[in-house]
Amino acid sequence: MAGELSPIDRAKFVAAKRAADMVEDGMRVGLGTGSTAAWLVRCLGEMVQNDGLRIKGVPTSSRTAELAREVGIEIQTLDEAKWLDLTIDGADEFDRDLNLIKGGGGALLQEKIVATASDRMVVIADKAKEVESLGAFPLPVEVIPFGWQTTQALLEETLVAMEVMGRKTTLRMNGDAALVTDEGNHILDLHLNRIGNVRQMALVLNQIPGVVENGLFIDICDTVVVGYGDGKVEVRDINEGTVETDQLDFVETENLFTDLND
């Protein structure tokens, strides 16, 4: 229940709850992946069950699709939906220009496709995800399995000429084996510490043979909803240049918010 959450989970919960209020009846909504996005799916499920909200969700991973079904959200593929009114997702980092690093949950490819097929992207995050410069969180790069070590070597060679503070790259693992994404690819995590020019980095990485997509989301996010452990929420709109502050009260809920693990 919301009242029993840790401060970090309360921050995620209030951000998700505030973003859920942006969803209107009849919308086609992109559903993100990750711990904060999972709270959003739970909130929307509660609105579907208790308030009669009618939406069609397009999940960005098999995990999100499974959760959406569990809470009663009707889901579609992106091909079926064609275009979305809104995508709500989390982020591993965001800066003051609402540029993002995403992909900590391994779903960056589908997340980026869904986000760019939407009229609007809203990011939900706790305050700790805000940074002065992107790069402290390892930057995920999705690569095809064929020749991934060659792709890794090309990435490391490319980073020598880039404005970064670190150049270590690692293959993301799932136990003793390489992680396999929903699209059958691998992920290389780039430990850059700080990225001086995010636009240049995003463009250069995608020119390397074997790279499918990178986790830099540039000029994609329109609004970020920042949650705090005391229930405060900030809504920052990059297009309008506005910042709104709300205070959400915690209320007892049913099992919709219990046993949520990500």
Side-chain angles (χ1 to χ4, degrees), residues 59-99:
T60 55
S61 68
S62 56
R63 300 194 306 281
T64 298
E66 181 179 359
L67 179 59
R69 291 190 189 98
E70 287 178 4
V71 299
I73 298 174
E74 181 182 352
I75 64 171
Q76 286 185 321
T77 66
L78 183 57
D79 287 336
E80 290 171 334
K82 307 298 184 186
W83 194 260
L84 307 179
D85 300 290
L86 176 67
T87 287
I88 305 176
D89 203 347
D92 299 301
E93 286 185 344
F94 70 92
D95 65 16
R96 62 183 179 183
D97 296 319
L98 304 195
N99 296 316

Side-chain angles (χ1 to χ4, degrees), residues 53-174:
L53 178 70
R54 296 171 298 172
I55 60 171
K56 293 182 178 178
V58 174
T60 55
S61 68
S62 56
R63 300 194 306 281
T64 298
E66 181 179 359
L67 179 59
R69 291 190 189 98
E70 287 178 4
V71 299
I73 298 174
E74 181 182 352
I75 64 171
Q76 286 185 321
T77 66
L78 183 57
D79 287 336
E80 290 171 334
K82 307 298 184 186
W83 194 260
L84 307 179
D85 300 290
L86 176 67
T87 287
I88 305 176
D89 203 347
D92 299 301
E93 286 185 344
F94 70 92
D95 65 16
R96 62 183 179 183
D97 296 319
L98 304 195
N99 296 316
L100 321 170
I101 285 183
K102 289 182 51 55
L108 68 98
L109 178 57
Q110 291 190 22
E111 288 173 335
K112 188 173 281 191
I113 293 172
V114 169
T116 54
S118 305
D119 287 337
R120 184 183 180 198
M121 183 192 188
V122 174
V123 161
I124 48 178
D126 59 88
K127 175 63 175 176
K129 301 297 175 62
E130 183 174 11
V131 296
E132 186 68 27
S133 300
L134 298 180
F137 189 92
L139 174 62
V141 177
E142 188 157 340
V143 301
I144 66 170
F146 176 79
W148 71 265
Q149 290 176 308
T150 299
T151 304
Q152 183 180 30
L154 290 170
L155 279 167
E156 292 174 347
E157 181 180 343
T158 300
L159 290 176
V160 172
M162 303 298 291
E163 190 180 347
V164 295
M165 295 182 64
R167 299 185 181 91
K168 180 182 177 182
T169 66
T170 57
L171 177 68
R172 191 178 300 185
M173 305 297 290
N174 182 17

Side-chain angles (χ1 to χ4, degrees), residues 21 36 45 63 85 91 94 142 166 171 180 185 226 242 249 254:
D21 291 339
T36 311
R63 300 194 306 281
D85 300 290
F94 70 92
E142 188 157 340
L171 177 68
V180 178
N185 298 316
V226 185
T242 57
D249 294 325
E254 297 181 355

